[in-house]
Amino acid sequence: MSMYDDVEKILYSKESIQKRLQAVAKEMNALYSDADLPLLICNLKGAFMFLADLVRYLDFRHELDFIETSSYGAGTASSGDVRFLLDVGESITDRNVIIVEDIVDSGVTLSCILERFEARHARSVRVAALLNKPSRREIEVPIDFCGFVVPNEFVIGYGLDYDQQYRNLPFIGVLKPAVYQGS
Ligand code: IMP
Ligand code: MG
């Protein structure tokens, strides 16, 4: 069976994602045009596709780095226990940092990342999130640049996974509940 058979519905097509990213990039370009070499930090793995497309619409000089966090097993809800599997390679002290995240759900992951970077005395820390699922929030977190607000459904594609699969879908869609019910 094709992975496309596991998609209940498409929320955002690849065209609508690109259109929205251009608008998000415009907001970022305006804010960072005079900034002192900002550092974009991509939270792997889910944000890899978002980062790759977003940076092509940015026109300010910047640097890139990557972190990897993990809080899920194979389920669809955060375990609340955030592990840092990969940390930034360079010092962020006095840097303007932009965290690039796939989706903010409970907010637990993002709040752990923010806490960690604020403790290291970044000059500023802002958040660019492809998706925001506010209905599930447990911890208040700031989102400075947001792609789309999504309903309380488990979404996949365009970098987002279920059990490490579906990241390559070119759109953002809802996973059929039958796929994870019983897992
Ligand atoms: P949070 O800590 O609950 O905010 O969850 C953040 C992480 O959980 C994200 O970086 C995603 O990797 C993952 N996640 C949350 N909701 C979804 C979803 O609907 N689809 C795929 N991954 C999700
Ligand atoms: Mg994930």
Side-chain angles (χ1 to χ4, degrees):
M1 225 174 60
S2 156
M3 62 175 180
Y4 286 88
D5 296 327
D6 296 343
V7 179
E8 175 138 304
K9 61 175 182 251
I10 295 177
L11 292 178
Y12 302 106
S13 66
K14 64 178 177 187
E15 293 77 19
S16 64
I17 294 169
Q18 294 306 312
K19 208 166 152 207
R20 182 66 196 132
L21 293 202
Q22 288 176 41
V24 170
K26 204 169 164 187
E27 288 175 40
M28 296 174 73
N29 286 336
L31 210 62
Y32 288 94
S33 60
D34 295 324
D36 190 9
L37 204 59
L39 179 64
L40 268 68
I41 300 178
C42 172
N43 187 18
L44 295 170
K45 306 184 180 82
F48 82 99
M49 214 176 271
F50 175 40
L51 176 88
D53 282 342
L54 180 69
V55 294
R56 280 179 265 197
Y57 297 124
L58 298 181
D59 59 19
F60 57 91
R61 275 176 212 273
H62 63 269
E63 292 180 356
L64 288 182
D65 209 343
F66 296 87
I67 58 173
E68 183 172 1
T69 58
S70 161
S71 73
Y72 278 26
T76 59
S78 177
S79 67
D81 168 31
V82 178
R83 286 176 299 153
F84 282 79
L85 307 178
L86 174 71
D87 204 349
V88 284
E90 45 197 303
S91 166
I92 60 157
T93 305
D94 210 30
R95 300 290 304 266
N96 293 307
V97 168
I98 305 167
I99 296 164
V100 180
E101 177 65 301
D102 58 353
I103 182 167
V104 182
D105 188 38
S106 69
V108 172
T109 304
L110 185 56
S111 87
C112 286
I113 295 171
L114 289 169
E115 211 171 87
R116 177 174 276 235
F117 289 168
E118 273 152 17
R120 292 181 190 170
H121 307 290
R123 189 186 308 172
S124 68
V125 182
R126 289 201 177 94
V127 176
L130 173 65
L131 303 175
N132 180 12
K133 204 193 277 182
S135 53
R136 301 240 313 167
R137 201 71 92 252
E138 289 167 22
I139 303 181
E140 266 328 300
V141 281
I143 301 178
D144 302 278
F145 311 101
C146 175
F148 303 100
V149 176
V150 291
N152 186 11
E153 289 179 290
F154 198 79
V155 294
I156 49 167
Y158 196 71
L160 288 104
D161 74 305
Y162 169 67
D163 202 11
Q164 300 301 331
Q165 297 177 47
Y166 308 101
R167 296 191 195 276
N168 58 319
L169 291 172
F171 51 77
I172 296 164
V174 175
L175 181 65
K176 282 185 182 162
V179 176
Y180 56 84
Q181 277 159 8
S183 79

PDB file of all heavy atoms in Angstrom, residues 44-46 69-73 102-103 154 159-164 167, ligand 2:
ATOM      1  N   LEU A  44      16.062  19.513  14.214  1.00  0.00           N
ATOM      2  CA  LEU A  44      15.889  18.285  13.434  1.00  0.00           C
ATOM      3  C   LEU A  44      15.009  17.286  14.181  1.00  0.00           C
ATOM      4  O   LEU A  44      14.955  17.341  15.398  1.00  0.00           O
ATOM      5  CB  LEU A  44      17.270  17.642  13.184  1.00  0.00           C
ATOM      6  CG  LEU A  44      18.213  18.476  12.315  1.00  0.00           C
ATOM      7  CD1 LEU A  44      19.615  17.874  12.345  1.00  0.00           C
ATOM      8  CD2 LEU A  44      17.694  18.568  10.898  1.00  0.00           C
ATOM      9  N   LYS A  45      14.371  16.336  13.467  1.00  0.00           N
ATOM     10  CA  LYS A  45      14.489  16.269  12.045  1.00  0.00           C
ATOM     11  C   LYS A  45      13.369  17.039  11.338  1.00  0.00           C
ATOM     12  O   LYS A  45      13.478  17.379  10.175  1.00  0.00           O
ATOM     13  CB  LYS A  45      14.420  14.793  11.590  1.00  0.00           C
ATOM     14  CG  LYS A  45      15.419  13.879  12.269  1.00  0.00           C
ATOM     15  CD  LYS A  45      15.307  12.464  11.644  1.00  0.00           C
ATOM     16  CE  LYS A  45      16.276  11.495  12.266  1.00  0.00           C
ATOM     17  NZ  LYS A  45      15.759  10.927  13.550  1.00  0.00           N
ATOM     18  N   GLY A  46      12.263  17.238  12.062  1.00  0.00           N
ATOM     19  CA  GLY A  46      11.028  17.714  11.433  1.00  0.00           C
ATOM     20  C   GLY A  46      11.136  19.009  10.644  1.00  0.00           C
ATOM     21  O   GLY A  46      10.381  19.229   9.711  1.00  0.00           O
ATOM     22  N   THR A  69      16.217  17.345  18.763  1.00  0.00           N
ATOM     23  CA  THR A  69      15.540  17.013  20.017  1.00  0.00           C
ATOM     24  C   THR A  69      14.591  15.856  19.762  1.00  0.00           C
ATOM     25  O   THR A  69      14.155  15.630  18.636  1.00  0.00           O
ATOM     26  CB  THR A  69      14.721  18.203  20.556  1.00  0.00           C
ATOM     27  OG1 THR A  69      13.760  18.593  19.579  1.00  0.00           O
ATOM     28  CG2 THR A  69      15.608  19.379  20.908  1.00  0.00           C
ATOM     29  N   SER A  70      14.304  15.160  20.820  1.00  0.00           N
ATOM     30  CA  SER A  70      13.399  14.030  20.691  1.00  0.00           C
ATOM     31  C   SER A  70      12.560  13.921  21.950  1.00  0.00           C
ATOM     32  O   SER A  70      13.079  13.999  23.066  1.00  0.00           O
ATOM     33  CB  SER A  70      14.244  12.777  20.491  1.00  0.00           C
ATOM     34  OG  SER A  70      13.480  11.651  20.787  1.00  0.00           O
ATOM     35  N   SER A  71      11.269  13.794  21.779  1.00  0.00           N
ATOM     36  CA  SER A  71      10.427  13.597  22.967  1.00  0.00           C
ATOM     37  C   SER A  71       9.413  12.491  22.735  1.00  0.00           C
ATOM     38  O   SER A  71       8.728  12.079  23.647  1.00  0.00           O
ATOM     39  CB  SER A  71       9.698  14.889  23.347  1.00  0.00           C
ATOM     40  OG  SER A  71       8.654  15.142  22.429  1.00  0.00           O
ATOM     41  N   TYR A  72       9.328  12.032  21.504  1.00  0.00           N
ATOM     42  CA  TYR A  72       8.298  11.041  21.168  1.00  0.00           C
ATOM     43  C   TYR A  72       8.885   9.645  21.120  1.00  0.00           C
ATOM     44  O   TYR A  72      10.014   9.460  20.726  1.00  0.00           O
ATOM     45  CB  TYR A  72       7.767  11.311  19.759  1.00  0.00           C
ATOM     46  CG  TYR A  72       6.726  12.383  19.657  1.00  0.00           C
ATOM     47  CD1 TYR A  72       6.666  13.407  20.586  1.00  0.00           C
ATOM     48  CD2 TYR A  72       5.817  12.369  18.634  1.00  0.00           C
ATOM     49  CE1 TYR A  72       5.726  14.394  20.490  1.00  0.00           C
ATOM     50  CE2 TYR A  72       4.864  13.346  18.518  1.00  0.00           C
ATOM     51  CZ  TYR A  72       4.818  14.361  19.446  1.00  0.00           C
ATOM     52  OH  TYR A  72       3.888  15.330  19.348  1.00  0.00           O
ATOM     53  N   GLY A  73       8.072   8.677  21.443  1.00  0.00           N
ATOM     54  CA  GLY A  73       8.332   7.317  20.998  1.00  0.00           C
ATOM     55  C   GLY A  73       7.626   7.217  19.665  1.00  0.00           C
ATOM     56  O   GLY A  73       7.698   8.115  18.851  1.00  0.00           O
ATOM     57  N   ASP A 102       9.404  22.719  13.442  1.00  0.00           N
ATOM     58  CA  ASP A 102       8.339  22.228  12.548  1.00  0.00           C
ATOM     59  C   ASP A 102       6.954  22.553  13.097  1.00  0.00           C
ATOM     60  O   ASP A 102       6.130  23.142  12.423  1.00  0.00           O
ATOM     61  CB  ASP A 102       8.506  20.720  12.255  1.00  0.00           C
ATOM     62  CG  ASP A 102       8.507  19.836  13.504  1.00  0.00           C
ATOM     63  OD1 ASP A 102       8.520  20.359  14.640  1.00  0.00           O
ATOM     64  OD2 ASP A 102       8.498  18.594  13.348  1.00  0.00           O
ATOM     65  N   ILE A 103       6.683  22.150  14.337  1.00  0.00           N
ATOM     66  CA  ILE A 103       5.337  22.359  14.891  1.00  0.00           C
ATOM     67  C   ILE A 103       5.429  22.575  16.395  1.00  0.00           C
ATOM     68  O   ILE A 103       6.230  21.934  17.070  1.00  0.00           O
ATOM     69  CB  ILE A 103       4.410  21.163  14.543  1.00  0.00           C
ATOM     70  CG1 ILE A 103       2.984  21.391  15.062  1.00  0.00           C
ATOM     71  CG2 ILE A 103       4.954  19.839  15.012  1.00  0.00           C
ATOM     72  CD1 ILE A 103       1.955  20.401  14.484  1.00  0.00           C
ATOM     73  N   PHE A 154      -3.427  14.941  13.946  1.00  0.00           N
ATOM     74  CA  PHE A 154      -2.017  14.601  13.771  1.00  0.00           C
ATOM     75  C   PHE A 154      -1.632  14.805  12.317  1.00  0.00           C
ATOM     76  O   PHE A 154      -2.180  14.164  11.422  1.00  0.00           O
ATOM     77  CB  PHE A 154      -1.717  13.167  14.220  1.00  0.00           C
ATOM     78  CG  PHE A 154      -0.249  12.967  14.448  1.00  0.00           C
ATOM     79  CD1 PHE A 154       0.353  13.409  15.610  1.00  0.00           C
ATOM     80  CD2 PHE A 154       0.544  12.395  13.459  1.00  0.00           C
ATOM     81  CE1 PHE A 154       1.732  13.274  15.802  1.00  0.00           C
ATOM     82  CE2 PHE A 154       1.914  12.255  13.645  1.00  0.00           C
ATOM     83  CZ  PHE A 154       2.504  12.699  14.825  1.00  0.00           C
ATOM     84  N   GLY A 159       8.330  17.261   6.013  1.00  0.00           N
ATOM     85  CA  GLY A 159       9.275  17.174   7.134  1.00  0.00           C
ATOM     86  C   GLY A 159       8.701  16.491   8.360  1.00  0.00           C
ATOM     87  O   GLY A 159       9.429  15.883   9.140  1.00  0.00           O
ATOM     88  N   LEU A 160       7.381  16.584   8.543  1.00  0.00           N
ATOM     89  CA  LEU A 160       6.784  16.022   9.765  1.00  0.00           C
ATOM     90  C   LEU A 160       6.516  14.528   9.601  1.00  0.00           C
ATOM     91  O   LEU A 160       6.057  14.083   8.554  1.00  0.00           O
ATOM     92  CB  LEU A 160       5.479  16.743  10.107  1.00  0.00           C
ATOM     93  CG  LEU A 160       5.699  18.158  10.619  1.00  0.00           C
ATOM     94  CD1 LEU A 160       5.364  19.164   9.536  1.00  0.00           C
ATOM     95  CD2 LEU A 160       4.899  18.419  11.866  1.00  0.00           C
ATOM     96  N   ASP A 161       6.782  13.814  10.679  1.00  0.00           N
ATOM     97  CA  ASP A 161       6.699  12.356  10.604  1.00  0.00           C
ATOM     98  C   ASP A 161       5.612  11.779  11.492  1.00  0.00           C
ATOM     99  O   ASP A 161       5.133  12.411  12.432  1.00  0.00           O
ATOM    100  CB  ASP A 161       8.030  11.740  11.069  1.00  0.00           C
ATOM    101  CG  ASP A 161       8.203  11.843  12.589  1.00  0.00           C
ATOM    102  OD1 ASP A 161       8.123  12.973  13.125  1.00  0.00           O
ATOM    103  OD2 ASP A 161       8.381  10.799  13.252  1.00  0.00           O
ATOM    104  N   TYR A 162       5.271  10.548  11.193  1.00  0.00           N
ATOM    105  CA  TYR A 162       4.688   9.657  12.191  1.00  0.00           C
ATOM    106  C   TYR A 162       5.592   8.432  12.213  1.00  0.00           C
ATOM    107  O   TYR A 162       5.807   7.807  11.165  1.00  0.00           O
ATOM    108  CB  TYR A 162       3.239   9.249  11.857  1.00  0.00           C
ATOM    109  CG  TYR A 162       2.776   8.136  12.769  1.00  0.00           C
ATOM    110  CD1 TYR A 162       2.595   8.382  14.134  1.00  0.00           C
ATOM    111  CD2 TYR A 162       2.614   6.840  12.305  1.00  0.00           C
ATOM    112  CE1 TYR A 162       2.245   7.371  14.993  1.00  0.00           C
ATOM    113  CE2 TYR A 162       2.262   5.809  13.166  1.00  0.00           C
ATOM    114  CZ  TYR A 162       2.078   6.086  14.515  1.00  0.00           C
ATOM    115  OH  TYR A 162       1.744   5.070  15.383  1.00  0.00           O
ATOM    116  N   ASP A 163       6.159   8.128  13.369  1.00  0.00           N
ATOM    117  CA  ASP A 163       7.059   6.981  13.510  1.00  0.00           C
ATOM    118  C   ASP A 163       8.172   7.008  12.449  1.00  0.00           C
ATOM    119  O   ASP A 163       8.494   5.978  11.850  1.00  0.00           O
ATOM    120  CB  ASP A 163       6.242   5.680  13.419  1.00  0.00           C
ATOM    121  CG  ASP A 163       6.961   4.506  14.083  1.00  0.00           C
ATOM    122  OD1 ASP A 163       7.978   4.740  14.775  1.00  0.00           O
ATOM    123  OD2 ASP A 163       6.515   3.366  13.885  1.00  0.00           O
ATOM    124  N   GLN A 164       8.733   8.208  12.236  1.00  0.00           N
ATOM    125  CA  GLN A 164       9.869   8.455  11.323  1.00  0.00           C
ATOM    126  C   GLN A 164       9.517   8.339   9.835  1.00  0.00           C
ATOM    127  O   GLN A 164      10.410   8.465   8.989  1.00  0.00           O
ATOM    128  CB  GLN A 164      11.076   7.554  11.648  1.00  0.00           C
ATOM    129  CG  GLN A 164      11.636   7.744  13.051  1.00  0.00           C
ATOM    130  CD  GLN A 164      12.087   9.167  13.325  1.00  0.00           C
ATOM    131  OE1 GLN A 164      12.486   9.898  12.423  1.00  0.00           O
ATOM    132  NE2 GLN A 164      12.012   9.588  14.584  1.00  0.00           N
ATOM    133  N   ARG A 167       7.893  11.875   6.028  1.00  0.00           N
ATOM    134  CA  ARG A 167       8.523  13.204   5.988  1.00  0.00           C
ATOM    135  C   ARG A 167       8.641  13.735   4.564  1.00  0.00           C
ATOM    136  O   ARG A 167       8.729  14.938   4.343  1.00  0.00           O
ATOM    137  CB  ARG A 167       9.938  13.152   6.594  1.00  0.00           C
ATOM    138  CG  ARG A 167       9.984  12.796   8.076  1.00  0.00           C
ATOM    139  CD  ARG A 167      11.385  13.041   8.620  1.00  0.00           C
ATOM    140  NE  ARG A 167      11.609  12.408   9.913  1.00  0.00           N
ATOM    141  CZ  ARG A 167      11.274  12.927  11.082  1.00  0.00           C
ATOM    142  NH1 ARG A 167      10.688  14.101  11.136  1.00  0.00           N
ATOM    143  NH2 ARG A 167      11.529  12.286  12.202  1.00  0.00           N
TER     144      ARG A 167
HETATM  145 MG    MG B   2       8.655  14.283  15.160  1.00  0.00          MG
END
